[in-house]
Amino acid sequence: MNTTDLVEQSYLRKGLPIFRPGDTVKVHARVVEAGRERVQVFQGVVIRRSGGGLRETFTVRKISFGVGVERTFPLHSPSIAKLEIVQRGHVRRAKLYYLRDLRGKKARIKERRIDESKLAAMEAMAAEDEAIEDPVDAGSMEAIEEAETAAELEPDAAQDTSENDSGESATEPGPTESGTVAEAEPDASADEAEERAEA
């Protein structure tokens, strides 16, 4: 995963319904006119989804007074107040540009019926994916921060060892109560690395 994906993760919208090309949707878009904001509903068929991450967009097409109108919306934009699915369509393509040449009954899309159990399972899987992605991203961000702080602290540790009052370096192992020399920490870290590899 790239660092840009980690930065963009916090800006992605959660709770969007699962839809694909061929589905009829209602897009509640915020429109600002003369300093006042209102919500405008645009209902039509999704003819494409493109891009990924924060830059993902989808295009909706409708027929208005006999004229085809298409609008492209950014999926994660705050200008979209709400997104509703009216009907799910059964299509075999990812881009439905052929609808531009069809009129009337030929332009209709067959409805794809989904059982309630399947729909609940799809929503549960989407919720699990979101729950799994968040901790991983948080952990990777913490790892990056820990690496940066460790890099900042290493020069300070080197100065402390050079300025020891007794003249001995602090990194040398000292005798323990039994008179033996304590084991060095790199061996312990090697054991921890082996345990992590086994896990």
Side-chain angles (χ1 to χ4, degrees):
M1 182 175 283
N2 297 330
T3 54
T4 54
D5 296 337
L6 294 174
V7 173
E8 291 175 358
Q9 192 68 32
S10 59
Y11 296 101
L12 298 180
R13 291 183 65 169
K14 308 277 195 249
L16 291 171
I18 300 169
F19 68 98
R20 62 186 197 181
D23 295 350
T24 303
V25 296
K26 275 185 183 178
V27 182
H28 297 255
R30 292 188 178 98
V31 178
V32 179
E33 291 177 343
R36 300 177 66 182
E37 182 178 304
R38 65 185 177 86
V39 175
Q40 184 181 47
V41 180
F42 190 88
Q43 180 175 341
V45 178
V46 178
I47 63 170
R48 75 168 180 177
R49 283 184 73 165
S50 63
L54 199 59
R55 291 165 293 282
E56 185 173 358
T57 61
F58 64 100
T59 302
V60 181
R61 177 182 173 81
K62 73 172 183 177
I63 304 296
S64 180
F65 298 101
V67 179
V69 180
E70 294 181 4
R71 277 187 75 179
T72 301
F73 298 96
L75 183 62
H76 300 284
S77 172
S79 64
I80 296 176
K82 190 166 61 169
L83 186 64
E84 296 178 43
I85 296 177
V86 178
Q87 176 183 342
R88 298 184 184 275
H90 178 71
V91 293
R92 296 185 294 177
R93 296 187 187 185
K95 307 283 194 264
L96 307 180
Y97 300 140
Y98 67 89
L99 292 177
R100 295 171 178 166
D101 300 328
L102 302 179
R103 298 286 180 270
K105 289 184 178 180
K106 291 182 179 179
R108 285 193 300 189
I109 295 175
K110 188 177 179 181
E111 185 177 359
R112 176 170 54 101
R113 298 187 183 273
I114 299 178
D115 297 338
E116 292 181 3
S117 59
K118 286 185 179 179
L119 185 60
M122 286 171 56
E123 291 175 355
M125 286 176 58
E128 286 177 6
D129 290 344
E130 289 180 2
I132 289 171
E133 286 177 3
D134 292 340
V136 170
D137 294 336
S140 56
M141 286 298 288
E142 289 174 3
I144 292 171
E145 291 173 1
E146 288 176 5
E148 290 176 355
T149 54
E152 292 173 0
L153 293 177
E154 283 179 2
D156 298 336
Q159 291 176 1
D160 292 341
T161 56
S162 63
E163 296 174 359
N164 196 354
D165 295 336
S166 61
E168 298 176 0
S169 65
T171 57
E172 293 178 3
T176 58
E177 293 178 4
S178 62
T180 59
V181 177
E183 292 183 7
E185 290 182 6
D187 296 336
S189 62
D191 294 339
E192 292 175 3
E194 290 175 3
E195 291 175 3
R196 290 179 190 162
E198 291 174 0

